[in-house]
Amino acid sequence: MTLKIDIDDSAPPYEQVRARISEQARSGELPVGYRLPTVRGLAESLGLAANTVAKAYRALEADGVIETRGRHGTFVAAAGSAADRELAVAAQAYVERARRLGQGEDAALAAVRDALRAAQGE
């Protein structure tokens, strides 16, 4: 696993750790079942506080990207299930909000496409 933190990046270090592990897990660079370094181990290798890495791991676990198996360690989770469910819930909430705003399908989809393009440009 290769991670680098860019001190000049406007994103906080925990967000950089979260985003990079998430990207590597989703791309398959970190395969399902891959054992991640301990919080302290990764913090030391990146020159970060353990709490920073712990915050990133908590966010990744909440997103369904990783799973903690107690004293056995932290692993890349099987892609899908939790993340897919959360995405479906978010999509449903978005649809309901767009309807309350009086927006149709075309406008709602255009807003999503714009948001995805903006996120890719980050």
Side-chain angles (χ1 to χ4, degrees), residues 18 50-64 66 68:
R18 187 210 59 78
N51 285 339
T52 300
V53 174
K55 185 175 181 179
Y57 275 23
R58 282 191 303 273
L60 287 162
E61 191 160 21
D63 291 345
I66 64 173
T68 301

Side-chain angles (χ1 to χ4, degrees), residues 89-105 107-108 111-112:
V89 168
Q92 185 61 43
Y94 175 74
V95 167
E96 291 169 7
R97 177 77 173 149
R99 284 188 179 153
R100 280 194 307 274
L101 293 170
Q103 301 299 308
E105 181 178 340
V112 169

Side-chain angles (χ1 to χ4, degrees), residues 1-3 21 24-25 29-39 41-42 57 65-78:
M1 180 172 90
T2 331
L3 290 178
I21 291 175
Q24 290 179 16
E29 189 176 336
L30 293 178
V32 171
Y34 177 86
R35 186 176 181 174
L36 295 169
T38 63
V39 167
L42 184 57
Y57 275 23
V65 176
I66 64 173
E67 59 187 3
T68 301
R69 299 178 191 163
R71 295 182 352 194
H72 298 288
T74 302
F75 300 83
V76 173

